[in-house]
Amino acid sequence: MNNQDKIDFIIYWVDGNDPDWQREYGRYKTGHGQDAGVRRYRDWENLQYWFRGVEKYAPWVNRIYFVTWGHVPKWLDTDHPKIEIVRHTDFIPGEYLPTFSANPIELNFHRIKGLEEHFVVFNDDFFITNQVKPQDFFRDGKPVDILMEYPVMCGGNVPVFSGILVNDFNLIGKYFDRREYTKRLKNKILTVKYGKYLFYNLLLSIIPYPRFFGILTPHFARPYLKSVYEEVWKIEGEELDRVCRNRFRDSTDLNIYIFRLWNLLKGNFVPENIFKMGKMIPVAEDSQEIIRLIEDQRYKLICLNDECGEKNFETVKAKIIDSFDRIFPEKSSFEK
């Protein structure tokens, strides 16, 4: 594998049970942020299955950058040749620290020393549950992706996140005219490769509205280019700097989607129906669908999005761990 073909993984994690982290969190939480609840930081104790999935289904990965506030799981073999422990202080400018928001962390990934041009970003609730190939993420040096026009949908239960999406689209709309990019990228928008999702693009293509009004972004592991990060920072550094100074996630933020949207509308991607390979599912009190999703291994990538109440958290957590243990019963070389 030459440098051009190397693909790194980034996964970032926080141990909400760490007393040192809790003390620092407590010093800043009061009066700051609109989205600082415990649900965003609690540990599902299933991270080892992410590493087992990588070893079994993505052994080709070049390097794994494990991004952390400062703590690491006790079971993790930090001497593994493919693992690089990266603390926030190692790559995030000091004026943005400490941060308790994923957005400043994700917006600065390009600053990680040694990171390759091609990398895939995983939240700690993103898992690999079946065989993935480098070509699932990149082909001919370009991200594999879907350009599916999709208006912002605000359901009322995620006001902070909906606000962030609107901010992303507003910024992108400064640089990309819908009439121009739909004409320029017609073959990448109206392609049979998207399967049933082509219908949405066909439907929206008849709407003559000139303004950019949104693109659907799947919530599971996605590929990124370091050069796109650098390009957007060069052009919109002042706005990204503002966002990175928010210690907690805020409705005025931008997020990592900005880099994906930028790359899509430049046309620097290979069109594919990526929804065939991944799925996001909310983790609530009813865990039966989640258990089936894990154990059937229908998808290569899944996201288990935490929407579970405190009352049933421990019960649901135990069921999910048991399901992962059924498909990944053996320790990986990443574990001590």
Side-chain angles (χ1 to χ4, degrees), residues 15-78:
D15 180 3
N17 297 320
D18 183 335
D20 292 332
W21 178 88
Q22 289 178 346
R23 280 190 289 271
E24 186 167 69
Y25 169 77
R27 285 200 297 268
Y28 290 93
K29 179 185 176 183
T30 303
H32 288 274
Q34 304 172 28
D35 193 32
V38 65
R39 188 179 296 174
R40 297 201 60 78
Y41 308 103
R42 63 187 177 187
D43 187 7
W44 283 80
E45 299 183 73
N46 55 20
L47 189 64
Q48 65 270 34
Y49 300 108
W50 183 86
F51 283 95
R52 294 181 191 185
V54 170
E55 182 161 274
K56 185 173 182 179
Y57 294 128
W60 46 262
V61 65
N62 175 56
R63 200 156 184 80
I64 297 169
Y65 289 91
F66 187 83
V67 176
T68 169
W69 172 83
H71 34 234
V72 295
K74 293 180 180 179
W75 49 261
L76 184 63
D77 180 5
T78 58

Side-chain angles (χ1 to χ4, degrees), residues 268-307:
N268 186 39
F269 70 101
V270 176
E272 192 64 76
N273 179 8
I274 60 175
F275 291 102
K276 287 183 177 180
M277 69 181 297
K279 184 178 178 64
M280 185 275 284
I281 185 168
V283 179
E285 278 67 24
D286 183 5
S287 58
Q288 291 306 308
E289 184 180 357
I290 301 164
I291 291 171
R292 286 195 299 271
L293 183 70
I294 295 171
E295 295 184 9
D296 290 350
Q297 297 180 266
R298 174 183 174 186
Y299 293 97
K300 299 179 179 183
L301 304 169
I302 61 172
C303 167
L304 304 182
N305 197 50
D306 187 356
E307 295 184 10

Side-chain angles (χ1 to χ4, degrees), residues 229-244:
Y229 264 71
E230 293 166 347
E231 181 179 1
V232 178
W233 265 95
K234 183 177 180 180
I235 296 171
E236 282 289 344
E238 184 175 336
E239 185 65 6
L240 294 172
D241 172 80
R242 178 193 64 78
V243 172
C244 290

